[in-house]
Amino acid sequence: MNVHGKPPASAFETELVGLKRASRKIVHLTNDDKNNILKKFAARLLEEKSAVLQANALDLKAFDLDNSRPASFRDRLLLTSERID
């Protein structure tokens, strides 16, 4: 399930869920191995930028409906093409 309680929308999201599960193993890797994982993740993020931005737009809509959080949180949530690059 994704953060919205729905099945993953894409293979990329499925991979992210798998990465979360793998986080306990990652802590035991070498720095070089961790850096290689981060480089691969960054490349994949650029490949999936459009899907990430679409999902972020949904998150922003949900945020805007909830007035209980400070506006500064919205800026932290906001993704743009420039922030991803």
Side-chain angles (χ1 to χ4, degrees), residues 1-68:
M1 295 292 170
N2 64 18
V3 295
H4 303 291
K6 297 178 182 176
S10 67
F12 182 64
E13 192 171 351
T14 300
E15 288 180 38
L16 290 178
V17 171
L19 284 173
K20 184 174 182 178
R21 290 184 185 136
S23 65
R24 289 189 179 123
K25 295 177 184 177
I26 291 172
V27 73
H28 301 290
L29 296 177
T30 66
N31 284 339
D32 285 341
D33 288 339
K34 290 176 191 177
N35 287 334
N36 287 332
I37 289 169
L38 289 172
K39 287 176 185 176
K40 289 178 182 179
F41 183 79
R44 188 65 191 270
L45 178 61
L46 290 175
E47 290 172 13
E48 298 289 340
K49 182 168 45 173
S50 178
V52 170
L53 290 172
Q54 288 175 356
N56 183 246
L58 294 174
D59 291 339
L60 290 170
K61 284 182 185 178
F63 180 90
D64 291 341
L65 293 174
D66 181 359
N67 294 323
S68 68

